[in-house]
């Protein structure tokens, strides 16, 4: 089945710790995205990547880092510099022609701070 | 900066009723508008994407319309069912860095 997988489903972070969220897609999409969802707010864009080995900051990139070494994978690292990391993190992908195409989402990772 | 508003924030209807969800956006320079469904604790499921050159898209009991000039989109759900209970989100797609989501309408369909 084609789709997007995210792991883990739940992640606990200790103060001062970096943690990495996994996102994999087998849709052969060029573009991938990371969003953060907080209660009562719309999804906010953290980073996006139009193509392998290239990525751009979104609206709230501070305290986060990404890599795009393979077309299928777009991991997100939440660094210790992110002071309020508790949220639901969603990864998405699209064909990537213009940035206006249908976006497909993974099941999400909920990050909690211990 | 694009702003997307969804009203109402919550809606409760009896089973079988037809209903309309609203989405408004401030910047009409968008490629497309996409409607999603989100169940509690889950990711987003794409329902419909309306291209900027289209006015309507239909999928089963769902019909979405788009009026770029007025900055409005509606999602019409016919003959609602309890399984339609979820949060419905719209997103204005203006390019890679210009994807703006609304905060959603939480729908409850009462049996």
């Amino acid at each position: 089945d084609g789709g997007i997988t995210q792991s883990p489903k739940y992640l606990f972070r200790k103060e001062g710790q970096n943690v990495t969220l996994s996102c994999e897609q087998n849709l052969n999409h060029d573009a991938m995205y990371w969003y953060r969802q907080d209660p009562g707010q719309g999804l906010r864009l953290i980073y996006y990547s139009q193509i392998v080995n290239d990525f751009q900051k979104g609206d709230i990139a501070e305290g986060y880092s990404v890599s795009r070494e393979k077309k299928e994978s777009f991991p997100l690292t939440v660094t210790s510099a992110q002071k309020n990391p508790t949220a639901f993190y969603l990864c998405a992908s699209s064909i990537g022609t213009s940035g206006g195409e249908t976006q497909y989402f993974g099941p999400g990772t909920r990050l909690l701070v211990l | 900066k694009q702003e997307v508003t969804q009203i109402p924030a919550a809606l409760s209807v009896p089973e079988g009723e037809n209903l309309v969800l609203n989405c408004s956006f401030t910047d009409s320079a968008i490629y497309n508008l996409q409607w999603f469904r989100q169940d509690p604790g889950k990711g987003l499921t794409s329902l419909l994407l309306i291209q900027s050159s289209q006015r309507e898209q239909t999928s089963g009991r769902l019909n979405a319309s788009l009026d770029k000039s007025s900055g409005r989109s509606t999602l019409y759900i016919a003959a609602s069912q309890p399984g339609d209970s979820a949060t419905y989100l719209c997103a204005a797609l203006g390019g890679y860095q210009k994807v703006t989501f609304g905060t959603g309408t939480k729908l409850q369909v009462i049996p």
Side-chain angles (χ1 to χ4, degrees):
Chain A
D1 288 338
I4 302 176
T5 58
Q6 291 186 243
S7 62
K9 186 174 181 178
Y10 295 97
L11 186 57
F12 298 91
R13 193 191 92 163
K14 297 179 182 178
E15 192 171 341
Q17 186 182 38
N18 293 352
V19 293
T20 297
L21 286 62
S22 170
C23 177
E24 304 277 333
Q25 55 98 0
N26 62 3
L27 300 168
N28 199 33
H29 286 170
D30 283 317
M32 297 187 74
Y33 311 80
W34 273 106
Y35 294 93
R36 170 178 172 143
Q37 186 177 34
D38 294 279
Q41 297 192 40
L43 276 70
R44 292 181 290 169
L45 182 65
I46 305 172
Y47 270 97
Y48 68 96
S49 169
Q50 293 177 237
I51 200 166
V52 174
N53 293 321
D54 182 67
F55 48 83
Q56 304 295 330
K57 293 181 180 180
D59 299 323
I60 55 166
E62 185 174 350
Y64 300 97
S65 66
V66 293
S67 63
R68 186 85 187 277
E69 297 176 2
K70 298 187 301 181
K71 187 175 185 177
E72 303 80 18
S73 179
F74 192 39
L76 173 73
T77 296
V78 183
T79 75
S80 57
Q82 173 50 245
K83 298 306 179 187
N84 185 24
T86 297
F88 191 47
Y89 291 86
L90 290 158
C91 177
S93 71
S94 68
I95 292 175
T97 306
S98 67
E101 307 87 11
T102 299
Q103 295 210 355
Y104 297 90
F105 281 78
T109 292
R110 188 165 298 280
L111 177 60
L112 300 166
V113 177
L114 294 177
Chain B
K1 182 181 177 182
Q2 177 77 274
E3 293 182 4
V4 177
T5 303
Q6 292 186 248
I7 295 174
L11 182 63
S12 183
V13 301
E15 181 178 1
E17 189 163 299
N18 301 328
L19 59 102
V20 175
L21 306 180
N22 297 296
C23 172
S24 61
F25 48 95
T26 56
D27 185 354
S28 62
I30 61 172
Y31 287 113
N32 304 312
L33 190 130
Q34 190 169 0
W35 281 93
F36 297 89
R37 167 190 173 132
Q38 185 175 31
D39 293 288
K42 306 291 185 182
L44 277 63
T45 300
S46 179
L47 297 174
L48 290 165
L49 178 133
I50 313 174
Q51 295 179 3
S52 59
S53 58
Q54 298 175 313
R55 293 191 64 85
E56 276 191 22
Q57 271 286 4
T58 298
S59 176
R61 294 183 294 108
L62 305 179
N63 176 277
S65 67
L66 174 64
D67 184 342
K68 276 186 62 177
S69 62
S70 66
R72 295 178 62 183
S73 178
T74 61
L75 179 67
Y76 174 83
I77 302 176
S80 58
Q81 303 171 358
D84 295 331
S85 297
T87 296
Y88 291 81
L89 298 159
C90 66
L93 309 179
Y96 291 104
Q97 202 169 357
K98 298 180 181 178
V99 180
T100 306
F101 285 81
T103 52
T105 294
K106 186 174 182 178
L107 173 65
Q108 181 182 25
V109 180
I110 303 169

